Amino acid sequence: MDQFKGQPRLPKFAVPKRYDIRLKPDLSACTFAGSVSIDLDIVADTKFIVLNAADLSVNSGSVCFTSSKVFQPVNVELVEADEILVLEFAETLPIGEGVLSIDFDGVLNEKMKGFYKSTYEHQGEKKNMAVTQFEPVDARKCFPCWDEPACKAKFKITLDVPSELVALSNMPVIEETVDGPLKTVSYQETPIISTYLVAVVVGLFNYVEDHTSDGIKVRVYCQVGKANQGKFALHVAVKTLELYKVYFAVQYPLPKLDMIAVPDFAAGAMENYGLVTYRETALLFDDKHSAAANKQRVVTVVAHELAHQWFGNLVTMEWWTHLWLNEGFATWVSYVAADSLFPEWKVWTQFLEETTEGLRLDGLEGSHPIEVEINHASEIDEIFDAISYRKGASVIRMLQSYLGAECFQRSLASYIKKYAYSNAKTEDLWTALEEGSGEPVNNLMNSWTKQKGYPVVSVKLKDQKLEFELSQFFSSGSHGDGQWIVPITLCCGSYDVKKNFLLQTKSETLDAKESSLDEIRSAWVKVNVHQTGFYRVKYDDDLAARLRYAIEKKYLTETDRFGILEDSFALCMARYQSLTSLLTLMGAYREELEYTVLSNLISISNKLMRIAADATPELLDYINQFFINLFQISAEKLGWDPKQGESHLDSMLRGEILTALAVFGHDPTINEASRRFHAFVDDRNTPLLPPDIRKATYVAVMQRVSTSNRSGCESLLRVYRETDLSQEKTRILGSLASCPDHNMVLEVLNFALSSEVRSQDAVFGLAAVSKEGRETAWTWMKDKWDHISKTYGSGFLLTRFISSVVSPFASFEKAKEVEEFFASRIKPSIARTLKQSIERVNINAKWVQSIQKEKQLAEAVKELAQGKY
Ligand code: BES
Ligand code: ZN
């Protein structure tokens, strides 16, 4: 049976058609017993049946295959390394239908994978609930199965659970029989679905309920007493289902949709068919204590998971190589839904954050193509990353802008219809779009999904001719030889003067006269209009100066202002451009008021502040002063208190601006924060500290905390312990380590790993470590590595520890040290992230060196700090 070991995919001589599964979880012993009967089609001569199973104890005596007669295996082996169950029979099994039966037992684990235990409090008592999380490859930890997305089958589920509990699965209940303390609940059979979408939840819950206009019952379940917090998500879900039905031109295929908040949850949410599970922070909204950013998160996540009910659940990727079809697409289409529900949120402008994160990861040599080869199950977790999600969503957006919204939607609808209840590959989507548009979509898109990276397009103006030159962009400053077909768009002097073409070669020249770009002599030229393309643009000095002027004069849209800044930052890091010129450009944004632009300006300022602390510590105060000046106008406009009827974006912006001012050391902000915080500590409902400014206030308070002045931190921990709102806990966790005192950083990191913080949340404690605490965090992680690595096993949460702690460093020595530390601790599930994080450190180190060589920097920074732009 060795031929079955070490294979990425199961052999295909038996095809599952229908599973009849019975599970009996024991919530106090944290175990479960189960049995499964699987209707199979034997399609090739075989003495073996090979399926997936892991962490289960299979009762060998129970295993049998029944067709023309009963076949008992002569050998039953569970190969843990390959997560397969190999059944060997004495004779060749007859071709045709049969039923495979297996009894098994398992443990309700604490790893938030497979069939697991989550805990909550009810009336002061600690309780357990049982929850499933199967994506990508953990259904096999709950029942033996063909655990591959292409092995779709019908599922008939029956649960034996304590009678007082709520027991949910993908489909509605058909029968419930109570027998004393236990009840048996059976559910309607599902249509054919992939194993990773099967779900079960058992616990105590309340719910709120509504219906779509065509009668689909939608419920939001949450902990007892929190049902009101589910109302907002319920409203969003009903509206979104109605919208997708029109957009995809296919009905929601199941009779009901349940959405449930699970207190222990590794990802943000999971799109199980008909039973979507969420972190509390991604589903619940509290009118009094949730922030605008929390509200937007709920909308984004609900819209994303519901998109999967079509894109992913109805039409499923054929293999994990095409994961991006699920995730990239759901990410993109969630913006279509959010934009339709909340047009004033300008989510398509905010989409640029997705593109930016995609570009930043894909600028590394350690990136990977959107379509990525998968050789072992343990590699799958790591590709739920910014490439699959954000680059994926961005290339879809690029294609949609190129083809046009209507044609794109029509083609999508026919793709969904064609592959419903089936599986598809990337090229199947391209073919549908090609047929719908008449454009060579396959050819165009292969260059974006089959190779990693992206181009930087250099634009020069010479003798009234625009010269375009394409090369592969790397954040390290090296050049690659990738080739892309780039949809170039440009505007000249006005958004009415446009030109589009496909750049298919290394270089191209555009004659301004022939293209009727009459103003080219003096007007601004913006390439990649509205940033719908997944590439960067580098302008010659003359064109760059014209754009800077256009920004100051407010000629450009917010998307283009965003793009110019972001590209300039990336080019600076890659050492194509000086820090002096980047800072000068940033000065042109001093009157900026748009949320998305300012939000990126803040994030860039933070990164520059950190790099300057390494490269030119003597200039740090000036640089901080310059950044504080940059945000003055918007800070004054927004103030501390919400204005009646103000926009959602202003509410979000206020918090981000105040946080930035606190981090850059703006004393008046820190003082005011401290005053408001005191009022809040005395009265949690004080109007002085509305939810949108809490995180900023906490960060400001932590700036003054030290081991000899701990009261701010202690008050925050008290709020943490007392609140039962997850979003409040997250805000606090995310601010503690911003403290400049490294001893305090050590304390709060220990707190993050303590039993007071759910293990799903510990990484939030690492998100905002102050520059002073960077080294402490690294030492701490090394100390705790065995524990961390054991607690988080192979999940993606483990990779977050590495990227948060390692990436901020900026020296070659540190890169080496990290490499040496992990040399003996490497495993497949962290390999990619580790490589990327070390690459980031090396890039930062090179950047530091080049900044130190910049001659005009000191003088320029001093002038900028005095407000001379
Ligand atoms: N399918 C994923 C959940 C998932 C992630 C399962 C990683 C297994 C591993 C789900 O649809 C998802 O993408 N959730 C996102 C939220 C979304 C709004 C980007 C998440 O969990 O962050
Ligand atoms: Zn998703």
Side-chain angles (χ1 to χ4, degrees), residues 677-678 681 701-702 704-718 744:
F677 185 64
H678 280 118
V681 169
V701 165
M702 285 311 294
R704 295 261 168 91
V705 166
S706 65
T707 38
S708 53
N709 176 26
R710 328 169 53 93
S711 78
C713 183
E714 272 155 18
S715 305
L716 270 175
L717 292 179
R718 197 164 344 113
M744 286 307 298

Side-chain angles (χ1 to χ4, degrees), residues 135 269 271 304-305 308 326-327 330-331 384 389:
E135 193 182 16
E271 69 268 25
H304 176 109
E305 303 313 331
H308 279 314
N326 270 14
E327 299 304 348
T331 299
F384 286 81
Y389 281 75

Side-chain angles (χ1 to χ4, degrees), residues 131-147:
V131 186
T132 57
Q133 167 61 42
F134 289 168
E135 193 182 16
V137 287
D138 293 317
R140 60 189 70 172
K141 293 190 171 133
C142 183
F143 54 89
C145 58
W146 275 257
D147 199 9

Side-chain angles (χ1 to χ4, degrees), residues 301-604:
V301 182
V302 170
H304 176 109
E305 303 313 331
L306 297 195
H308 279 314
Q309 307 300 308
W310 284 262
F311 228 93
N313 300 10
L314 188 59
V315 179
T316 310
M317 67 219 147
E318 195 274 334
W319 179 241
W320 298 106
T321 296
H322 306 283
L323 172 71
W324 86 279
L325 270 186
N326 270 14
E327 299 304 348
F329 193 85
T331 299
W332 177 79
V333 90
S334 72
Y335 283 80
V336 174
D339 187 49
S340 147
L341 261 57
F342 300 96
E344 69 282 10
W345 291 4
K346 301 193 198 172
V347 294
W348 284 113
T349 304
Q350 296 192 56
F351 183 86
L352 294 183
E353 292 170 26
E354 308 273 1
T355 306
T356 295
E357 289 305 322
L359 289 166
R360 288 186 189 174
L361 179 54
D362 207 23
L364 300 181
E365 320 221 6
S367 180
H368 62 82
I370 283 184
E371 294 181 64
V372 57
E373 202 183 309
I374 298 292
N375 293 311
H376 192 271
S378 62
E379 298 168 5
I380 303 172
D381 254 343
E382 258 195 316
I383 56 164
F384 286 81
D385 65 359
I387 299 300
S388 303
Y389 281 75
R390 294 162 174 233
K391 182 182 184 182
S394 303
V395 300
I396 286 169
R397 178 162 194 240
M398 176 163 72
L399 180 62
Q400 190 225 19
S401 326
Y402 181 71
L403 297 179
E406 231 177 88
C407 160
F408 191 79
Q409 180 182 352
R410 228 183 318 108
S411 315
L412 270 184
S414 71
Y415 164 85
I416 296 274
K417 194 166 162 205
K418 181 164 176 194
Y419 294 98
Y421 301 106
S422 170
N423 295 80
K425 298 182 173 164
T426 304
E427 61 208 52
D428 298 325
L429 177 61
W430 300 154
T431 302
L433 288 157
E434 190 155 320
E435 282 168 5
S437 68
E439 293 281 338
V441 176
N442 258 298
N443 202 16
L444 172 67
M445 294 311 287
N446 281 342
S447 73
W448 295 96
T449 60
K450 289 195 190 295
Q451 67 182 336
K452 68 181 178 186
Y454 57 87
V456 50
V457 177
S458 304
V459 193
K460 291 194 185 97
L461 180 61
K462 246 194 217 155
D463 310 328
Q464 303 219 41
K465 291 196 175 76
L466 278 176
E467 294 178 2
F468 296 84
E469 220 178 270
L470 176 154
S471 72
Q472 180 165 9
F473 179 83
F474 281 117
S475 297
S476 63
S478 7
H479 294 265
D481 50 10
Q483 293 264 359
W484 289 266
I485 303 178
V486 188
I488 301 275
T489 53
L490 69 92
C491 282
C492 175
S494 140
Y495 283 97
D496 296 329
V497 183
K498 288 184 275 203
K499 176 85 194 151
N500 301 341
F501 64 97
L502 283 182
L503 179 59
Q504 316 219 28
T505 48
K506 283 254 171 214
S507 60
E508 181 102 42
T509 306
L510 198 73
D511 191 322
K513 269 212 197 96
E514 285 166 21
S515 309
S516 345
L517 303 173
D518 300 330
E519 308 292 321
I520 199 97
R521 219 180 276 278
S522 60
W524 54 267
V525 176
K526 172 67 178 59
V527 179
N528 194 10
V529 181
H530 303 322
Q531 299 299 117
T532 52
F534 194 76
Y535 56 95
R536 300 201 186 270
V537 184
K538 178 178 182 314
Y539 299 93
D540 69 20
D541 290 346
D542 173 23
L543 293 172
R546 294 183 196 185
L547 283 172
R548 198 161 59 234
Y549 179 76
I551 290 165
E552 285 180 342
K553 288 285 169 195
K554 307 191 168 54
Y555 293 154
L556 302 183
T557 60
E558 55 223 46
T559 46
D560 285 331
R561 298 200 299 276
F562 181 105
I564 292 163
L565 174 68
E566 169 56 28
D567 284 352
S568 185
F569 169 68
L571 291 166
C572 178
M573 183 191 284
R575 296 167 293 123
Y576 286 75
Q577 184 185 320
S578 67
L579 177 57
T580 311
S581 74
L582 172 60
L583 293 173
T584 310
L585 173 70
M586 288 168 79
Y589 289 80
R590 62 192 173 272
E591 291 179 25
E592 182 63 61
L593 294 172
E594 274 300 322
Y595 169 76
T596 309
V597 183
L598 274 168
S599 179
N600 201 32
L601 192 65
I602 290 169
S603 119
I604 289 173

